[in-house]
Short mmCIF file of all heavy atoms in Angstrom, two decimals:
data_model
loop_
_atom_site.label_atom_id
_atom_site.label_comp_id
_atom_site.label_asym_id
_atom_site.label_seq_id
_atom_site.Cartn_x
_atom_site.Cartn_y
_atom_site.Cartn_z
N LEU A 30 134.50 6.63 7.37
CA LEU A 30 134.52 5.48 6.48
C LEU A 30 135.49 4.46 7.08
O LEU A 30 136.55 4.82 7.59
CB LEU A 30 135.01 5.87 5.08
CG LEU A 30 134.17 6.90 4.32
CD1 LEU A 30 134.91 7.33 3.05
CD2 LEU A 30 132.80 6.33 3.96
N ARG A 31 135.13 3.18 7.01
CA ARG A 31 135.98 2.12 7.53
C ARG A 31 136.46 1.27 6.34
O ARG A 31 135.66 0.76 5.55
CB ARG A 31 135.20 1.26 8.52
CG ARG A 31 135.96 0.10 9.13
CD ARG A 31 137.12 0.50 10.00
NE ARG A 31 136.81 1.57 10.93
CZ ARG A 31 136.15 1.39 12.08
NH1 ARG A 31 135.75 0.20 12.44
NH2 ARG A 31 135.93 2.41 12.88
N TYR A 32 137.80 1.13 6.20
CA TYR A 32 138.38 0.41 5.07
C TYR A 32 138.93 -0.94 5.52
O TYR A 32 139.32 -1.13 6.68
CB TYR A 32 139.52 1.23 4.46
CG TYR A 32 139.05 2.39 3.60
CD1 TYR A 32 138.71 3.61 4.18
CD2 TYR A 32 138.94 2.27 2.22
CE1 TYR A 32 138.27 4.67 3.41
CE2 TYR A 32 138.51 3.33 1.44
CZ TYR A 32 138.18 4.53 2.03
OH TYR A 32 137.75 5.58 1.26
N GLN A 33 138.97 -1.86 4.56
CA GLN A 33 139.56 -3.18 4.79
C GLN A 33 140.29 -3.62 3.53
O GLN A 33 139.79 -3.42 2.41
CB GLN A 33 138.48 -4.19 5.15
CG GLN A 33 139.01 -5.61 5.40
CD GLN A 33 137.91 -6.55 5.85
OE1 GLN A 33 137.21 -6.29 6.83
NE2 GLN A 33 137.73 -7.65 5.13
N CYS A 34 141.47 -4.19 3.71
CA CYS A 34 142.26 -4.63 2.57
C CYS A 34 141.78 -5.98 2.06
O CYS A 34 141.22 -6.78 2.81
CB CYS A 34 143.74 -4.69 2.93
SG CYS A 34 144.48 -3.08 3.28
N ALA A 35 142.03 -6.22 0.80
CA ALA A 35 141.65 -7.49 0.19
C ALA A 35 142.54 -8.62 0.73
O ALA A 35 143.56 -8.37 1.39
CB ALA A 35 141.79 -7.40 -1.33
N SER A 36 142.11 -9.83 0.45
CA SER A 36 142.88 -10.99 0.89
C SER A 36 144.29 -10.93 0.29
O SER A 36 144.48 -10.48 -0.85
CB SER A 36 142.18 -12.27 0.45
OG SER A 36 142.87 -13.41 0.89
N PHE A 37 145.28 -11.36 1.05
CA PHE A 37 146.69 -11.36 0.68
C PHE A 37 147.29 -9.95 0.72
O PHE A 37 148.39 -9.74 0.21
CB PHE A 37 146.91 -11.97 -0.71
CG PHE A 37 146.60 -13.44 -0.78
CD1 PHE A 37 145.38 -13.89 -1.27
CD2 PHE A 37 147.51 -14.38 -0.33
CE1 PHE A 37 145.09 -15.24 -1.32
CE2 PHE A 37 147.23 -15.73 -0.39
CZ PHE A 37 146.01 -16.17 -0.87
N TYR A 38 146.58 -8.98 1.31
CA TYR A 38 147.12 -7.64 1.47
C TYR A 38 146.99 -7.22 2.93
O TYR A 38 146.03 -7.60 3.62
CB TYR A 38 146.40 -6.63 0.57
CG TYR A 38 146.77 -6.78 -0.90
CD1 TYR A 38 146.10 -7.70 -1.71
CD2 TYR A 38 147.79 -6.03 -1.45
CE1 TYR A 38 146.44 -7.86 -3.04
CE2 TYR A 38 148.13 -6.18 -2.79
CZ TYR A 38 147.46 -7.10 -3.58
OH TYR A 38 147.79 -7.24 -4.90
N LYS A 39 147.93 -6.43 3.40
CA LYS A 39 147.97 -5.98 4.78
C LYS A 39 147.80 -4.47 4.84
O LYS A 39 148.43 -3.74 4.07
CB LYS A 39 149.29 -6.39 5.43
CG LYS A 39 149.41 -5.99 6.89
CD LYS A 39 150.76 -6.43 7.46
CE LYS A 39 150.90 -6.04 8.92
NZ LYS A 39 152.23 -6.46 9.47
N ARG A 40 146.95 -4.03 5.76
CA ARG A 40 146.71 -2.59 5.88
C ARG A 40 147.86 -1.91 6.59
O ARG A 40 148.37 -2.36 7.60
CB ARG A 40 145.41 -2.35 6.66
CG ARG A 40 145.14 -0.86 6.92
CD ARG A 40 143.82 -0.68 7.64
NE ARG A 40 143.70 -1.50 8.83
CZ ARG A 40 144.24 -1.17 10.01
NH1 ARG A 40 144.92 -0.04 10.13
NH2 ARG A 40 144.09 -1.97 11.04
N VAL A 41 148.26 -0.76 6.04
CA VAL A 41 149.27 0.10 6.65
C VAL A 41 148.62 1.47 6.86
O VAL A 41 148.17 2.09 5.91
CB VAL A 41 150.53 0.23 5.79
CG1 VAL A 41 151.52 1.18 6.44
CG2 VAL A 41 151.17 -1.13 5.56
N GLY A 42 148.57 1.93 8.11
CA GLY A 42 147.91 3.19 8.40
C GLY A 42 146.55 2.97 9.04
O GLY A 42 146.15 1.84 9.32
N PRO A 43 145.80 4.05 9.27
CA PRO A 43 144.51 3.95 9.97
C PRO A 43 143.46 3.25 9.11
O PRO A 43 143.48 3.36 7.88
CB PRO A 43 144.13 5.41 10.23
CG PRO A 43 144.80 6.17 9.13
CD PRO A 43 146.09 5.46 8.86
N ASP A 44 142.55 2.53 9.77
CA ASP A 44 141.46 1.90 9.02
C ASP A 44 140.25 2.82 8.93
O ASP A 44 139.33 2.56 8.17
CB ASP A 44 141.05 0.58 9.68
CG ASP A 44 140.49 0.77 11.08
OD1 ASP A 44 140.68 1.86 11.65
OD2 ASP A 44 139.86 -0.17 11.59
N THR A 45 140.26 3.92 9.71
CA THR A 45 139.14 4.86 9.74
C THR A 45 139.55 6.17 9.08
O THR A 45 140.60 6.73 9.40
CB THR A 45 138.69 5.13 11.18
OG1 THR A 45 138.32 3.88 11.79
CG2 THR A 45 137.51 6.07 11.22
N VAL A 46 138.72 6.65 8.16
CA VAL A 46 138.98 7.91 7.45
C VAL A 46 137.84 8.87 7.77
O VAL A 46 136.67 8.51 7.68
CB VAL A 46 139.09 7.68 5.93
CG1 VAL A 46 139.28 8.99 5.20
CG2 VAL A 46 140.24 6.73 5.63
N MET A 47 138.20 10.09 8.17
CA MET A 47 137.21 11.10 8.54
C MET A 47 137.31 12.32 7.63
O MET A 47 138.30 12.50 6.93
CB MET A 47 137.43 11.51 10.00
CG MET A 47 137.22 10.38 10.98
SD MET A 47 137.85 10.75 12.64
CE MET A 47 139.62 10.59 12.37
N CYS A 48 136.29 13.15 7.69
CA CYS A 48 136.22 14.36 6.87
C CYS A 48 136.39 15.58 7.77
O CYS A 48 135.73 15.70 8.80
CB CYS A 48 134.88 14.43 6.12
SG CYS A 48 134.63 15.96 5.20
N TYR A 49 137.28 16.50 7.36
CA TYR A 49 137.50 17.73 8.12
C TYR A 49 136.69 18.86 7.51
O TYR A 49 136.30 18.84 6.33
CB TYR A 49 138.97 18.10 8.13
CG TYR A 49 139.84 17.08 8.86
CD1 TYR A 49 141.03 16.62 8.31
CD2 TYR A 49 139.46 16.58 10.11
CE1 TYR A 49 141.82 15.70 8.97
CE2 TYR A 49 140.24 15.67 10.77
CZ TYR A 49 141.42 15.23 10.21
OH TYR A 49 142.19 14.30 10.87
N SER A 50 136.46 19.88 8.33
CA SER A 50 135.66 21.01 7.89
C SER A 50 136.31 21.78 6.74
O SER A 50 135.67 22.58 6.08
CB SER A 50 135.40 21.95 9.07
OG SER A 50 136.63 22.39 9.63
N THR A 51 137.60 21.52 6.50
CA THR A 51 138.29 22.16 5.38
C THR A 51 137.96 21.49 4.05
O THR A 51 138.42 21.94 3.00
CB THR A 51 139.81 22.08 5.61
OG1 THR A 51 140.20 20.71 5.76
CG2 THR A 51 140.21 22.85 6.85
N GLY A 52 137.19 20.39 4.10
CA GLY A 52 136.89 19.65 2.89
C GLY A 52 137.94 18.61 2.54
O GLY A 52 137.87 18.00 1.47
N MET A 53 138.91 18.41 3.43
CA MET A 53 139.99 17.45 3.20
C MET A 53 139.72 16.17 3.99
O MET A 53 139.16 16.21 5.09
CB MET A 53 141.33 18.05 3.64
CG MET A 53 141.71 19.31 2.89
SD MET A 53 142.16 18.98 1.17
CE MET A 53 143.67 18.05 1.41
N TRP A 54 140.14 15.04 3.42
CA TRP A 54 140.03 13.77 4.11
C TRP A 54 141.22 13.59 5.04
O TRP A 54 142.32 14.11 4.77
CB TRP A 54 140.01 12.61 3.12
CG TRP A 54 138.76 12.52 2.29
CD1 TRP A 54 138.59 12.91 1.01
CD2 TRP A 54 137.49 12.00 2.72
NE1 TRP A 54 137.31 12.68 0.59
CE2 TRP A 54 136.60 12.11 1.61
CE3 TRP A 54 137.02 11.45 3.91
CZ2 TRP A 54 135.28 11.71 1.67
CZ3 TRP A 54 135.70 11.03 3.98
CH2 TRP A 54 134.84 11.17 2.86
N SER A 55 141.03 12.87 6.13
CA SER A 55 142.15 12.51 7.00
C SER A 55 143.02 11.49 6.28
O SER A 55 142.71 11.05 5.17
CB SER A 55 141.63 11.94 8.33
OG SER A 55 140.94 10.73 8.11
N ASP A 56 144.13 11.12 6.90
CA ASP A 56 145.06 10.18 6.27
C ASP A 56 144.33 8.88 5.90
O ASP A 56 143.57 8.35 6.70
CB ASP A 56 146.22 9.87 7.21
CG ASP A 56 147.10 11.08 7.46
OD1 ASP A 56 147.09 11.98 6.60
OD2 ASP A 56 147.77 11.12 8.50
N ILE A 57 144.60 8.39 4.70
CA ILE A 57 143.97 7.16 4.24
C ILE A 57 144.97 6.01 4.32
O ILE A 57 146.19 6.23 4.24
CB ILE A 57 143.42 7.30 2.81
CG1 ILE A 57 144.56 7.54 1.82
CG2 ILE A 57 142.39 8.42 2.73
CD1 ILE A 57 144.11 7.53 0.37
N PRO A 58 144.50 4.79 4.49
CA PRO A 58 145.42 3.65 4.59
C PRO A 58 145.92 3.22 3.23
O PRO A 58 145.38 3.62 2.18
CB PRO A 58 144.55 2.56 5.22
CG PRO A 58 143.16 2.88 4.74
CD PRO A 58 143.09 4.38 4.67
N THR A 59 146.94 2.40 3.24
CA THR A 59 147.42 1.75 2.03
C THR A 59 147.39 0.25 2.27
O THR A 59 147.48 -0.22 3.40
CB THR A 59 148.85 2.18 1.68
OG1 THR A 59 149.72 1.89 2.79
CG2 THR A 59 148.91 3.67 1.37
N CYS A 60 147.23 -0.51 1.20
CA CYS A 60 147.18 -1.97 1.29
C CYS A 60 148.46 -2.53 0.67
O CYS A 60 148.65 -2.45 -0.55
CB CYS A 60 145.94 -2.52 0.59
SG CYS A 60 144.39 -2.07 1.40
#
């Protein structure tokens, strides 16, 4: 999944989120 922050917000962290075989998501970004 590719994320993008709304206007007037800056992304912190990765913009790409992946799924692991454990059923857990990789680190998600914050805006």
